[in-house]
Amino acid sequence: FCIPTEYTMYVERKECAYCLTINTTICAGYCMTRDVNGKLFLPKYALSQDVCTYRDFMYKTAEIPGCPRHVTP
């Protein structure tokens, strides 16, 4: 099954004083899909594969505290 799953990632830069912990949701599991691009000579059952895909997604920016001025946080 494809289900949203809570996930914790850690973001750090060696130049900065802190490591950020980011809690988010990721897609986990497998959903049936078909890939038909460029595969004209294969039977349809060979095109089926289990993958996990997202319905939508969102980009967010996080700044790592404690970075020197010359380092992008």
Side-chain angles (χ1 to χ4, degrees):
F1 298 103
C2 265
I3 57 171
T5 302
E6 291 182 14
Y7 182 76
T8 302
M9 69 174 71
Y10 303 93
V11 180
E12 63 182 332
R13 290 190 70 141
K14 63 183 176 182
E15 303 90 354
C16 302
Y18 295 93
C19 174
L20 280 182
T21 302
I22 299 175
N23 296 312
T24 187
T25 304
I26 63 170
C27 180
Y30 295 97
C31 298
M32 193 60 121
T33 188
R34 288 220 161 107
D35 178 14
V36 295
N37 293 328
K39 299 174 178 74
L40 299 174
F41 302 108
L42 293 175
K44 289 212 184 276
Y45 71 86
L47 302 175
S48 295
Q49 55 188 349
D50 292 332
V51 298
C52 190
T53 60
Y54 295 95
R55 180 175 299 151
D56 57 28
F57 56 92
M58 182 184 325
Y59 290 105
K60 296 239 179 173
T61 301
E63 290 190 13
I64 302 172
C67 294
R69 287 184 169 242
H70 68 281
V71 175
T72 303

